[in-house]
Amino acid sequence: MIMFSVNYVSPDAPLVYDQTYKGPGASELTSSVDKRTISVSDMRAEKSTFSLEKNGFEVVSFSPDFEAFEDDEAIQKQLYPYVIDMLKRRMNSDDVIIFDHTYRSTTRADKSIHNRAPVRTVHNDYTDVSANHRMMEETKGQEHLRNRDYTLVNLWLPVRNKVESSPLAMVDISTVHPTDFQRLKLIYPDRIGELAAITYNPNHKWFYQSEMTPGEGLLFKVYDSTFEQGMFGVPHSAVDVLNDEAKKPRTSLEVRAIVFSGESNE
């Protein structure tokens, strides 16, 4: 295990994140942080196998013939089909909709809504409210999908180089309680959204994949409509090794998708 520093959110604190400007975004979602030192297990050293079904996340192999990671249009036209094919096969679904991607970098010159810094607040990307809103928006014209169970997933990929700093760490969903999720309001120029910030729970078990290189990826749930009420998805955060020497900033790409089950939930 390695000791990392993470930022949970303070219980009962007002949680609002203002993203009314265009740009790479801040690395913190709130100033109401509860800084903790946690032990994080390296999945490379674990004997057990991690899976979406058991832990909410897993390590995947993903090596598409694609290099234009700083070209948002190329990502949408050329990379998305690779991701859709992989998700259909892995999750046994005929209906997958990619709706978003984010390039995480502190050095990319292009300032766009797709370029943001690694987030150092423990969070989950969606709540029941924002997940349902997203699903309804993405299924306009495909209303037959709306009566199916669905999962929102995030495919996290290191870009160009080995991850030397700020790796992504995740909490095993089986160690999370519904009361750990706190609704955080997101204020955008044209709308108000919502994600889940996470409060500290000593039962949380943290994991990461050390020295990730291109060709590897992390696939994790950010919402599952079959979860019990109050459970949303896998808490995660960029983390920093305590007292670690300065290393090359990491760059990564996240692709988010809705994966529908094959059966009606009615």
Side-chain angles (χ1 to χ4, degrees):
M1 290 188 179
I2 300 178
M3 304 306 293
F4 287 91
S5 172
V6 299
N7 296 314
Y8 284 96
V9 298
S10 300
D12 305 318
L15 298 174
V16 179
Y17 178 65
D18 187 347
Q19 181 69 68
T20 54
Y21 66 96
K22 293 184 178 180
S27 61
E28 298 291 352
L29 297 175
T30 177
S31 60
S32 303
V33 299
D34 177 15
K35 200 174 191 67
R36 298 278 178 162
T37 298
I38 59 168
S39 60
V40 182
S41 298
D42 186 351
M43 288 188 282
R44 292 192 193 278
E46 295 288 317
K47 294 182 180 179
S48 58
T49 300
F50 296 86
S51 69
L52 287 174
E53 294 77 12
K54 182 176 67 173
N55 312 99
F57 57 81
E58 65 187 43
V59 179
V60 297
S61 296
F62 188 71
S63 301
D65 183 15
F66 182 82
E67 293 293 334
F69 289 102
E70 295 194 19
D71 185 332
D72 294 320
E73 184 176 353
I75 289 172
Q76 293 167 339
K77 291 183 177 180
Q78 300 173 31
L79 185 63
Y80 280 16
Y82 284 109
V83 178
I84 289 172
D85 181 65
M86 185 272 282
L87 292 176
K88 283 183 174 181
R89 286 184 285 106
R90 169 58 186 88
M91 301 185 70
N92 192 28
S93 172
D94 292 326
D95 298 290
V96 174
I97 300 173
I98 293 179
F99 58 85
D100 182 48
H101 72 269
T102 301
Y103 188 96
R104 300 277 182 196
S105 172
T106 57
T107 59
R108 182 181 178 185
D110 176 33
K111 307 301 183 186
S112 78
I113 59 172
H114 295 295
N115 177 33
R116 297 174 182 171
V119 175
R120 290 176 169 81
T121 304
V122 186
H123 69 287
N124 180 66
D125 299 356
Y126 290 90
T127 66
D128 52 348
V129 173
S130 57
N132 184 69
H133 176 78
R134 172 61 72 177
M135 184 273 291
M136 295 294 285
E137 285 293 307
E138 299 301 326
T139 54
K140 290 179 180 178
Q142 301 183 76
E143 285 78 7
H144 64 283
L145 296 175
R146 293 178 176 176
N147 64 352
R148 298 185 188 178
D149 291 325
Y150 65 96
T151 305
L152 271 62
V153 294
N154 187 327
L155 176 63
W156 190 95
L157 304 168
V159 172
R160 304 204 185 286
N161 303 302
K162 179 176 70 174
V163 176
E164 296 182 4
S165 64
S166 304
L168 184 72
M170 301 164 292
V171 181
D172 186 330
I173 195 67
S174 68
T175 68
V176 179
H177 191 271
T179 56
D180 300 338
F181 296 95
Q182 311 298 321
R183 298 175 190 272
L184 186 149
K185 184 182 295 185
L186 300 169
I187 303 177
Y188 295 102
D190 57 344
R191 63 186 176 90
I192 294 178
E194 186 176 85
L195 60 70
I198 311 299
T199 51
Y200 175 71
N201 180 337
N203 293 324
H204 288 169
K205 291 184 178 180
W206 283 85
F207 295 90
Y208 85 119
Q209 182 87 336
S210 63
E211 300 186 334
M212 290 187 68
T213 58
E216 295 180 298
L218 297 170
L219 180 63
F220 57 100
K221 294 183 178 182
V222 290
Y223 185 75
D224 188 328
S225 66
T226 67
F227 280 169
E228 66 175 288
Q229 185 174 2
M231 290 290 289
F232 303 141
V234 172
H236 56 279
S237 175
V239 294
D240 295 306
V241 181
L242 294 179
N243 303 316
D244 198 22
E245 61 186 42
K247 294 182 178 180
K248 182 185 299 183
R250 64 113 151 146
T251 55
S252 58
L253 180 73
E254 299 168 29
V255 182
R256 300 178 188 86
I258 309 176
V259 182
F260 293 89
S261 72
E263 298 180 359
S264 171
N265 58 16
E266 293 184 342

